[in-house]
Amino acid sequence: MVVYIFPTLRKVVTTIRSRQLFPDWLVLFQDRPGQFSQDERYALHRLTPLTRWLVVSGPWCESEPRTGTPLPGVLRLSWSQWRVVANDFLRLLQDKTNPLSGLPITASEEEFQSARSQFPFPALPQGQEPLDIAVIGEFPEELMWIKRLFEQWSVAVWIATPEEALAHWRPVKAAIYDVRGANTDELRRIEQLIIRSYRASPRGCGWVLLAGFPICEDFEFTKYWSQICILPKPTQHWDLLVGLRHALADWANTIA
């Protein structure tokens, strides 16, 4: 894979015209709603009609699909998704048989997400013992979809409320936490659970936080723990498994 980095779309247009460069994918990092116009997209589309577009949107762009005018015919990922899945996602795109390759250039957001749901599941680490995972949230019955996802692997799932997890923590290799709201009380409770996991085991465990509209500043405390991935809600199965695998890999690195 050859990657070119450009500061503006205008520079992309100039380079394509001068070098006859026809990229397979164009990845835009969007800081604010409306940063890239449809006119710019159409101009580029005329130059390189087979190029597919991916927009990685920052936290200020979360509401654009509902209240703004997002670019048509592009796949959108949030900044929190990108931080977790970027390496796996780009590797997958190099395989021309990936589910996204069969979509028309005019595919809708729904078609993109449907194709993403067909991504092959990444392998989870398998050992002689079942992989122990805690799934934590206010309403355990809402988390059953995660337990059902893991039924095809040798995974032992412990579902608990945050209060139950704090009072009766059991050593696990990873924990998935359903964040109801990134307020001070809940963020403090997550921090207490992380500390509790270290008290139960010197290595703690890997963490995946599922949060609606996560903002970087809300999760500033996570910089003290390398074994944490943050994903937005709703979360596709592939994203969750990639995040869990990364959390487990970070956890394993603490052993080495």
Side-chain angles (χ1 to χ4, degrees):
M1 175 185 292
V2 180
V3 178
Y4 299 89
I5 299 176
F6 301 95
T8 63
L9 274 183
R10 181 176 300 178
K11 183 64 175 177
V12 177
V13 171
T14 302
T15 302
I16 289 177
R17 283 175 174 165
S18 61
R19 299 186 186 178
Q20 292 295 299
L21 173 70
F22 302 104
D24 295 313
W25 280 86
L26 180 63
V27 183
L28 303 180
F29 293 91
Q30 182 176 347
D31 297 323
R32 54 179 173 79
Q35 182 176 349
F36 305 105
S37 71
Q38 294 191 19
D39 289 343
E40 289 175 313
R41 182 193 183 283
Y42 294 148
L44 262 173
H45 180 63
R46 287 192 292 270
L47 290 173
T48 175
L50 298 182
T51 297
R52 298 181 182 277
W53 288 52
L54 165 64
V55 171
V56 180
S57 56
W60 294 109
C61 304
E62 298 281 8
S63 62
E64 187 183 36
R66 300 191 305 277
T67 61
T69 53
L71 292 176
V74 303
L75 172 62
R76 294 175 64 89
L77 293 180
S78 72
W79 68 271
S80 52
Q81 284 175 286
W82 182 254
R83 288 183 62 183
V84 175
V85 309
N87 289 337
D88 295 78
F89 190 83
L90 292 174
R91 279 197 296 267
L92 191 62
L93 292 185
Q94 294 182 71
D95 181 356
K96 299 298 183 181
T97 65
N98 75 78
L100 294 174
S101 63
L103 292 178
I105 299 300
T106 56
S108 66
E109 173 70 12
E110 290 76 14
E111 290 174 306
F112 274 117
Q113 297 303 332
S114 177
R116 286 199 67 230
S117 69
Q118 301 171 38
F119 280 5
F121 284 166
L124 292 176
Q126 296 292 312
Q128 295 182 345
E129 299 295 330
L131 181 61
D132 292 323
I133 296 175
V135 180
I136 304 168
E138 291 286 352
F139 305 103
E141 63 275 7
E142 294 183 3
L143 304 177
M144 291 302 295
W145 68 273
I146 298 177
K147 184 174 183 179
R148 287 194 292 269
L149 172 64
F150 291 131
E151 288 177 351
Q152 55 189 297
W153 292 286
S154 179
V155 177
V157 178
W158 167 42
I159 295 181
T161 65
E163 292 76 15
E164 291 169 343
L166 269 174
H168 308 289
W169 184 267
R170 62 178 72 171
V172 293
K173 291 184 179 178
I176 301 171
Y177 187 99
D178 178 32
V179 182
R180 304 300 296 183
N183 53 60
T184 302
D185 290 339
E186 181 151 31
L187 294 176
R188 184 181 298 113
R189 185 164 53 184
I190 295 172
E191 197 168 351
Q192 290 172 343
L193 281 167
I194 294 172
I195 294 172
R196 181 73 177 84
S197 73
Y198 277 98
R199 289 175 177 170
S201 171
R203 297 186 298 272
C205 67
W207 286 83
V208 178
L209 306 182
L210 306 179
F213 301 109
I215 298 176
C216 309
E217 290 77 9
D218 288 336
F219 295 92
E220 184 72 10
F221 74 92
T222 62
K223 68 183 180 181
Y224 300 111
W225 289 282
S226 62
Q227 305 162 218
I228 299 177
C229 295
I230 302 171
L231 286 170
K233 295 190 296 187
T235 299
Q236 289 212 9
H237 288 171
W238 185 84
D239 297 52
L240 178 60
L241 291 171
V242 169
L244 178 62
R245 192 180 64 182
H246 284 306
L248 287 167
D250 290 338
W251 176 85
N253 288 338
T254 65
I255 303 175

